[in-house]
mmCIF file of all heavy atoms in Angstrom:
data_model
loop_
_atom_site.group_PDB
_atom_site.id
_atom_site.type_symbol
_atom_site.label_atom_id
_atom_site.label_comp_id
_atom_site.label_asym_id
_atom_site.label_seq_id
_atom_site.Cartn_x
_atom_site.Cartn_y
_atom_site.Cartn_z
ATOM 1 N N GLN A 1 0.844 -1.154 0.007
ATOM 2 C CA GLN A 1 0.005 0.005 -0.009
ATOM 3 C C GLN A 1 0.922 1.219 0.010
ATOM 4 O O GLN A 1 2.047 1.157 0.439
ATOM 5 C CB GLN A 1 -0.913 0.003 1.255
ATOM 6 C CG GLN A 1 -1.919 -1.131 1.264
ATOM 7 C CD GLN A 1 -2.948 -0.922 0.181
ATOM 8 O OE1 GLN A 1 -3.435 0.170 -0.077
ATOM 9 N NE2 GLN A 1 -3.282 -2.017 -0.507
ATOM 10 N N PRO A 2 0.436 2.380 -0.488
ATOM 11 C CA PRO A 2 1.274 3.599 -0.464
ATOM 12 C C PRO A 2 1.612 4.020 0.952
ATOM 13 O O PRO A 2 0.765 3.954 1.838
ATOM 14 C CB PRO A 2 0.437 4.585 -1.186
ATOM 15 C CG PRO A 2 -0.579 3.840 -1.941
ATOM 16 C CD PRO A 2 -0.827 2.604 -1.175
ATOM 17 N N PHE A 3 2.837 4.511 1.142
ATOM 18 C CA PHE A 3 3.300 5.148 2.356
ATOM 19 C C PHE A 3 3.491 6.602 2.068
ATOM 20 O O PHE A 3 4.205 6.951 1.131
ATOM 21 C CB PHE A 3 4.614 4.535 2.853
ATOM 22 C CG PHE A 3 4.510 3.077 3.221
ATOM 23 C CD1 PHE A 3 4.762 2.083 2.261
ATOM 24 C CD2 PHE A 3 4.199 2.692 4.510
ATOM 25 C CE1 PHE A 3 4.725 0.757 2.605
ATOM 26 C CE2 PHE A 3 4.118 1.338 4.861
ATOM 27 C CZ PHE A 3 4.381 0.376 3.879
ATOM 28 N N ALA A 4 2.887 7.496 2.849
ATOM 29 C CA ALA A 4 3.023 8.942 2.661
ATOM 30 C C ALA A 4 4.366 9.389 3.181
ATOM 31 O O ALA A 4 4.696 9.154 4.347
ATOM 32 C CB ALA A 4 1.944 9.680 3.339
ATOM 33 N N SER A 5 5.195 10.041 2.326
ATOM 34 C CA SER A 5 6.479 10.549 2.739
ATOM 35 C C SER A 5 6.316 11.957 3.205
ATOM 36 O O SER A 5 5.586 12.740 2.586
ATOM 37 C CB SER A 5 7.429 10.461 1.589
ATOM 38 O OG SER A 5 8.653 11.103 1.879
ATOM 39 N N ASP A 6 7.029 12.328 4.236
ATOM 40 C CA ASP A 6 7.088 13.719 4.669
ATOM 41 C C ASP A 6 8.160 14.495 3.942
ATOM 42 O O ASP A 6 8.359 15.676 4.152
ATOM 43 C CB ASP A 6 7.283 13.863 6.174
ATOM 44 C CG ASP A 6 8.511 13.159 6.652
ATOM 45 O OD1 ASP A 6 9.228 12.462 5.846
ATOM 46 O OD2 ASP A 6 8.909 13.352 7.830
ATOM 47 N N ILE A 7 8.833 13.815 2.994
ATOM 48 C CA ILE A 7 9.856 14.418 2.153
ATOM 49 C C ILE A 7 9.265 14.606 0.751
ATOM 50 O O ILE A 7 8.701 13.652 0.210
ATOM 51 C CB ILE A 7 11.087 13.506 2.054
ATOM 52 C CG1 ILE A 7 11.730 13.313 3.435
ATOM 53 C CG2 ILE A 7 12.118 14.127 1.087
ATOM 54 C CD1 ILE A 7 12.805 12.234 3.464
ATOM 55 N N THR A 8 9.339 15.756 0.227
ATOM 56 C CA THR A 8 8.864 16.026 -1.146
ATOM 57 C C THR A 8 9.912 15.494 -2.129
ATOM 58 O O THR A 8 11.098 15.810 -2.030
ATOM 59 C CB THR A 8 8.648 17.509 -1.399
ATOM 60 O OG1 THR A 8 7.725 18.019 -0.395
ATOM 61 C CG2 THR A 8 8.100 17.765 -2.777
ATOM 62 N N ASN A 9 9.465 14.620 -3.010
ATOM 63 C CA ASN A 9 10.324 14.042 -4.032
ATOM 64 C C ASN A 9 11.609 13.354 -3.468
ATOM 65 O O ASN A 9 12.733 13.758 -3.742
ATOM 66 C CB ASN A 9 10.746 15.063 -5.061
ATOM 67 C CG ASN A 9 9.562 15.704 -5.748
ATOM 68 O OD1 ASN A 9 8.575 15.022 -5.988
ATOM 69 N ND2 ASN A 9 9.632 17.005 -6.065
ATOM 70 N N PRO A 10 11.444 12.276 -2.685
ATOM 71 C CA PRO A 10 12.584 11.545 -2.206
ATOM 72 C C PRO A 10 13.454 11.138 -3.414
ATOM 73 O O PRO A 10 12.940 10.879 -4.477
ATOM 74 C CB PRO A 10 12.028 10.325 -1.520
ATOM 75 C CG PRO A 10 10.626 10.646 -1.263
ATOM 76 C CD PRO A 10 10.195 11.646 -2.271
ATOM 77 N N SER A 11 14.770 11.098 -3.216
ATOM 78 C CA SER A 11 15.667 10.763 -4.334
ATOM 79 C C SER A 11 16.361 9.379 -4.206
ATOM 80 O O SER A 11 16.836 8.860 -5.187
ATOM 81 C CB SER A 11 16.728 11.843 -4.454
ATOM 82 O OG SER A 11 17.554 11.897 -3.285
ATOM 83 N N LEU A 12 16.351 8.823 -2.992
ATOM 84 C CA LEU A 12 17.012 7.571 -2.799
ATOM 85 C C LEU A 12 16.165 6.694 -1.885
ATOM 86 O O LEU A 12 15.621 7.193 -0.865
ATOM 87 C CB LEU A 12 18.404 7.765 -2.155
ATOM 88 C CG LEU A 12 19.244 6.507 -1.946
ATOM 89 C CD1 LEU A 12 19.723 5.949 -3.300
ATOM 90 C CD2 LEU A 12 20.485 6.800 -1.059
ATOM 91 N N ALA A 13 16.027 5.442 -2.198
ATOM 92 C CA ALA A 13 15.299 4.494 -1.378
ATOM 93 C C ALA A 13 16.140 3.279 -1.070
ATOM 94 O O ALA A 13 17.036 2.913 -1.856
ATOM 95 C CB ALA A 13 14.000 4.068 -2.092
ATOM 96 N N ARG A 14 15.849 2.690 0.079
ATOM 97 C CA ARG A 14 16.538 1.456 0.543
ATOM 98 C C ARG A 14 15.479 0.397 0.757
ATOM 99 O O ARG A 14 14.464 0.638 1.353
ATOM 100 C CB ARG A 14 17.292 1.666 1.799
ATOM 101 C CG ARG A 14 17.856 0.452 2.434
ATOM 102 C CD ARG A 14 18.466 0.741 3.836
ATOM 103 N NE ARG A 14 18.844 -0.471 4.488
ATOM 104 C CZ ARG A 14 18.088 -1.050 5.452
ATOM 105 N NH1 ARG A 14 16.955 -0.512 5.867
ATOM 106 N NH2 ARG A 14 18.479 -2.167 6.049
ATOM 107 N N LEU A 15 15.743 -0.808 0.242
ATOM 108 C CA LEU A 15 14.876 -1.953 0.494
ATOM 109 C C LEU A 15 15.691 -3.011 1.209
ATOM 110 O O LEU A 15 16.839 -3.280 0.848
ATOM 111 C CB LEU A 15 14.315 -2.576 -0.782
ATOM 112 C CG LEU A 15 13.233 -1.850 -1.521
ATOM 113 C CD1 LEU A 15 12.870 -2.581 -2.776
ATOM 114 C CD2 LEU A 15 11.990 -1.761 -0.657
ATOM 115 N N ALA A 16 15.116 -3.635 2.249
ATOM 116 C CA ALA A 16 15.660 -4.846 2.875
ATOM 117 C C ALA A 16 14.550 -5.872 2.824
ATOM 118 O O ALA A 16 13.399 -5.625 3.196
ATOM 119 C CB ALA A 16 16.066 -4.535 4.334
ATOM 120 N N VAL A 17 14.881 -7.031 2.268
ATOM 121 C CA VAL A 17 13.902 -8.105 2.071
ATOM 122 C C VAL A 17 14.360 -9.362 2.743
ATOM 123 O O VAL A 17 15.478 -9.797 2.516
ATOM 124 C CB VAL A 17 13.706 -8.326 0.532
ATOM 125 C CG1 VAL A 17 12.655 -9.327 0.259
ATOM 126 C CG2 VAL A 17 13.422 -7.019 -0.219
ATOM 127 N N GLN A 18 13.484 -9.890 3.538
ATOM 128 C CA GLN A 18 13.785 -11.191 4.155
ATOM 129 C C GLN A 18 13.046 -12.310 3.392
ATOM 130 O O GLN A 18 11.859 -12.255 3.195
ATOM 131 C CB GLN A 18 13.375 -11.270 5.602
ATOM 132 C CG GLN A 18 13.719 -12.558 6.273
ATOM 133 C CD GLN A 18 13.420 -12.567 7.786
ATOM 134 O OE1 GLN A 18 13.095 -11.555 8.361
ATOM 135 N NE2 GLN A 18 13.547 -13.730 8.398
ATOM 136 N N ILE A 19 13.805 -13.289 2.917
ATOM 137 C CA ILE A 19 13.235 -14.399 2.142
ATOM 138 C C ILE A 19 13.390 -15.639 2.978
ATOM 139 O O ILE A 19 14.471 -16.054 3.374
ATOM 140 C CB ILE A 19 13.977 -14.551 0.788
ATOM 141 C CG1 ILE A 19 13.779 -13.247 -0.009
ATOM 142 C CG2 ILE A 19 13.409 -15.737 0.046
ATOM 143 C CD1 ILE A 19 14.578 -13.232 -1.300
ATOM 144 N N ALA A 20 12.244 -16.291 3.262
ATOM 145 C CA ALA A 20 12.193 -17.545 4.017
ATOM 146 C C ALA A 20 12.768 -18.654 3.166
ATOM 147 O O ALA A 20 12.794 -18.580 1.943
ATOM 148 C CB ALA A 20 10.792 -17.819 4.419
ATOM 149 N N PRO A 21 13.233 -19.720 3.835
ATOM 150 C CA PRO A 21 13.782 -20.838 3.070
ATOM 151 C C PRO A 21 12.762 -21.428 2.103
ATOM 152 O O PRO A 21 11.549 -21.507 2.486
ATOM 153 C CB PRO A 21 14.150 -21.860 4.150
ATOM 154 C CG PRO A 21 14.241 -21.099 5.415
ATOM 155 C CD PRO A 21 13.304 -19.938 5.290
ATOM 156 N N ALA A 22 13.155 -21.818 0.926
ATOM 157 C CA ALA A 22 12.280 -22.421 -0.059
ATOM 158 C C ALA A 22 11.927 -23.853 0.342
ATOM 159 O O ALA A 22 12.764 -24.514 1.019
ATOM 160 C CB ALA A 22 12.922 -22.330 -1.439
ATOM 161 N N VAL A 23 10.808 -24.285 -0.108
ATOM 162 C CA VAL A 23 10.436 -25.675 0.143
ATOM 163 C C VAL A 23 11.348 -26.582 -0.628
ATOM 164 O O VAL A 23 11.808 -27.636 -0.164
ATOM 165 C CB VAL A 23 8.950 -25.905 -0.269
ATOM 166 C CG1 VAL A 23 8.589 -27.361 -0.178
ATOM 167 C CG2 VAL A 23 8.000 -25.067 0.575
ATOM 168 N N LYS A 24 11.656 -26.233 -1.857
ATOM 169 C CA LYS A 24 12.590 -27.019 -2.658
ATOM 170 C C LYS A 24 13.987 -26.424 -2.446
ATOM 171 O O LYS A 24 14.164 -25.351 -1.967
ATOM 172 C CB LYS A 24 12.180 -26.853 -4.149
ATOM 173 C CG LYS A 24 10.806 -27.391 -4.454
ATOM 174 C CD LYS A 24 10.438 -27.194 -5.901
ATOM 175 C CE LYS A 24 9.074 -27.678 -6.181
ATOM 176 N NZ LYS A 24 8.624 -27.357 -7.508
ATOM 177 N N SER A 25 14.965 -27.203 -2.849
ATOM 178 C CA SER A 25 16.330 -26.776 -2.649
ATOM 179 C C SER A 25 16.833 -25.871 -3.755
ATOM 180 O O SER A 25 18.038 -25.816 -4.060
ATOM 181 C CB SER A 25 17.255 -28.001 -2.522
ATOM 182 O OG SER A 25 17.199 -28.732 -3.719
ATOM 183 N N THR A 26 15.941 -25.155 -4.386
ATOM 184 C CA THR A 26 16.286 -24.257 -5.486
ATOM 185 C C THR A 26 16.788 -22.929 -4.913
ATOM 186 O O THR A 26 16.078 -22.289 -4.179
ATOM 187 C CB THR A 26 15.057 -24.019 -6.374
ATOM 188 O OG1 THR A 26 14.500 -25.242 -6.715
ATOM 189 C CG2 THR A 26 15.437 -23.252 -7.639
ATOM 190 N N ALA A 27 17.995 -22.552 -5.269
ATOM 191 C CA ALA A 27 18.561 -21.310 -4.785
ATOM 192 C C ALA A 27 17.875 -20.103 -5.476
ATOM 193 O O ALA A 27 17.600 -20.152 -6.646
ATOM 194 C CB ALA A 27 20.071 -21.266 -5.010
ATOM 195 N N ILE A 28 17.659 -19.070 -4.720
ATOM 196 C CA ILE A 28 17.171 -17.817 -5.262
ATOM 197 C C ILE A 28 18.336 -16.974 -5.774
ATOM 198 O O ILE A 28 19.264 -16.780 -5.020
ATOM 199 C CB ILE A 28 16.364 -17.016 -4.207
ATOM 200 C CG1 ILE A 28 15.239 -17.889 -3.607
ATOM 201 C CG2 ILE A 28 15.815 -15.736 -4.760
ATOM 202 C CD1 ILE A 28 14.234 -18.392 -4.586
ATOM 203 N N ASP A 29 18.239 -16.518 -6.995
ATOM 204 C CA ASP A 29 19.282 -15.702 -7.553
ATOM 205 C C ASP A 29 18.672 -14.366 -7.943
ATOM 206 O O ASP A 29 18.051 -14.246 -9.019
ATOM 207 C CB ASP A 29 19.953 -16.364 -8.760
ATOM 208 C CG ASP A 29 21.108 -15.591 -9.328
ATOM 209 O OD1 ASP A 29 21.368 -14.444 -8.892
ATOM 210 O OD2 ASP A 29 21.807 -16.112 -10.227
ATOM 211 N N VAL A 30 18.815 -13.358 -7.061
ATOM 212 C CA VAL A 30 18.187 -12.069 -7.350
ATOM 213 C C VAL A 30 18.799 -11.413 -8.560
ATOM 214 O O VAL A 30 18.156 -10.720 -9.299
ATOM 215 C CB VAL A 30 18.184 -11.127 -6.150
ATOM 216 C CG1 VAL A 30 17.352 -11.707 -5.011
ATOM 217 C CG2 VAL A 30 19.592 -10.832 -5.655
ATOM 218 N N GLY A 31 20.091 -11.702 -8.816
ATOM 219 C CA GLY A 31 20.756 -11.147 -9.981
ATOM 220 C C GLY A 31 20.224 -11.699 -11.304
ATOM 221 O O GLY A 31 20.315 -11.082 -12.342
ATOM 222 N N ALA A 32 19.674 -12.900 -11.274
ATOM 223 C CA ALA A 32 19.143 -13.511 -12.483
ATOM 224 C C ALA A 32 17.660 -13.242 -12.710
ATOM 225 O O ALA A 32 17.057 -13.788 -13.627
ATOM 226 C CB ALA A 32 19.381 -15.057 -12.449
ATOM 227 N N GLY A 33 17.099 -12.445 -11.840
ATOM 228 C CA GLY A 33 15.715 -12.057 -11.995
ATOM 229 C C GLY A 33 14.683 -12.990 -11.345
ATOM 230 O O GLY A 33 13.520 -12.913 -11.609
ATOM 231 N N ASP A 34 15.146 -13.901 -10.473
ATOM 232 C CA ASP A 34 14.212 -14.720 -9.719
ATOM 233 C C ASP A 34 13.307 -13.829 -8.884
ATOM 234 O O ASP A 34 12.150 -14.168 -8.627
ATOM 235 C CB ASP A 34 14.913 -15.720 -8.831
ATOM 236 C CG ASP A 34 15.715 -16.749 -9.611
ATOM 237 O OD1 ASP A 34 15.465 -16.911 -10.802
ATOM 238 O OD2 ASP A 34 16.588 -17.384 -9.030
ATOM 239 N N LEU A 35 13.897 -12.736 -8.405
ATOM 240 C CA LEU A 35 13.128 -11.743 -7.621
ATOM 241 C C LEU A 35 13.603 -10.371 -8.033
ATOM 242 O O LEU A 35 14.780 -10.063 -8.021
ATOM 243 C CB LEU A 35 13.358 -11.913 -6.093
ATOM 244 C CG LEU A 35 12.742 -10.845 -5.236
ATOM 245 C CD1 LEU A 35 11.242 -10.904 -5.282
ATOM 246 C CD2 LEU A 35 13.237 -10.983 -3.781
ATOM 247 N N VAL A 36 12.649 -9.558 -8.476
ATOM 248 C CA VAL A 36 12.948 -8.165 -8.842
ATOM 249 C C VAL A 36 12.090 -7.258 -7.902
ATOM 250 O O VAL A 36 10.912 -7.326 -7.880
ATOM 251 C CB VAL A 36 12.570 -7.857 -10.299
ATOM 252 C CG1 VAL A 36 12.817 -6.355 -10.620
ATOM 253 C CG2 VAL A 36 13.363 -8.734 -11.270
ATOM 254 N N SER A 37 12.843 -6.460 -7.108
ATOM 255 C CA SER A 37 12.187 -5.575 -6.135
ATOM 256 C C SER A 37 12.385 -4.147 -6.628
ATOM 257 O O SER A 37 13.503 -3.765 -6.994
ATOM 258 C CB SER A 37 12.785 -5.746 -4.731
ATOM 259 O OG SER A 37 12.548 -7.068 -4.279
ATOM 260 N N SER A 38 11.300 -3.345 -6.630
ATOM 261 C CA SER A 38 11.316 -1.997 -7.149
ATOM 262 C C SER A 38 10.660 -1.037 -6.213
ATOM 263 O O SER A 38 9.903 -1.444 -5.339
ATOM 264 C CB SER A 38 10.580 -1.977 -8.500
ATOM 265 O OG SER A 38 11.111 -2.940 -9.395
ATOM 266 N N VAL A 39 10.959 0.237 -6.427
ATOM 267 C CA VAL A 39 10.349 1.276 -5.611
ATOM 268 C C VAL A 39 9.764 2.395 -6.509
ATOM 269 O O VAL A 39 10.293 2.689 -7.562
ATOM 270 C CB VAL A 39 11.463 1.959 -4.716
ATOM 271 C CG1 VAL A 39 10.910 3.157 -3.980
ATOM 272 C CG2 VAL A 39 12.025 0.932 -3.731
ATOM 273 N N SER A 40 8.650 2.955 -6.037
ATOM 274 C CA SER A 40 7.979 4.059 -6.713
ATOM 275 C C SER A 40 7.792 5.179 -5.719
ATOM 276 O O SER A 40 7.485 4.960 -4.527
ATOM 277 C CB SER A 40 6.623 3.582 -7.220
ATOM 278 O OG SER A 40 5.857 4.684 -7.696
#
Protein backbone atom coordinates (compact mmCIF):
# COMPACT_ATOMS: atom_id res chain seq x y z
CA GLN A 1 0.00 0.00 0.00
CA PRO A 2 1.28 3.57 -0.46
CA PHE A 3 3.28 5.14 2.37
CA ALA A 4 3.04 8.93 2.65
CA SER A 5 6.47 10.53 2.74
CA ASP A 6 7.09 13.72 4.67
CA ILE A 7 9.86 14.42 2.15
CA THR A 8 8.87 16.01 -1.14
CA ASN A 9 10.34 14.04 -4.03
CA PRO A 10 12.62 11.55 -2.21
CA SER A 11 15.66 10.76 -4.33
CA LEU A 12 17.03 7.55 -2.79
CA ALA A 13 15.27 4.49 -1.39
CA ARG A 14 16.54 1.44 0.51
CA LEU A 15 14.88 -1.96 0.51
CA ALA A 16 15.66 -4.82 2.87
CA VAL A 17 13.90 -8.07 2.04
CA GLN A 18 13.79 -11.22 4.16
CA ILE A 19 13.25 -14.39 2.15
CA ALA A 20 12.21 -17.52 4.02
CA PRO A 21 13.79 -20.85 3.07
CA ALA A 22 12.27 -22.40 -0.03
CA VAL A 23 10.42 -25.68 0.14
CA LYS A 24 12.58 -26.99 -2.68
CA SER A 25 16.35 -26.77 -2.64
CA THR A 26 16.29 -24.26 -5.49
CA ALA A 27 18.56 -21.29 -4.78
CA ILE A 28 17.14 -17.81 -5.28
CA ASP A 29 19.30 -15.69 -7.56
CA VAL A 30 18.17 -12.07 -7.35
CA GLY A 31 20.74 -11.14 -9.99
CA ALA A 32 19.15 -13.54 -12.49
CA GLY A 33 15.69 -12.07 -12.00
CA ASP A 34 14.20 -14.72 -9.72
CA LEU A 35 13.12 -11.74 -7.61
CA VAL A 36 12.94 -8.15 -8.84
CA SER A 37 12.19 -5.57 -6.14
CA SER A 38 11.33 -2.02 -7.17
CA VAL A 39 10.37 1.31 -5.61
CA SER A 40 7.98 4.05 -6.71
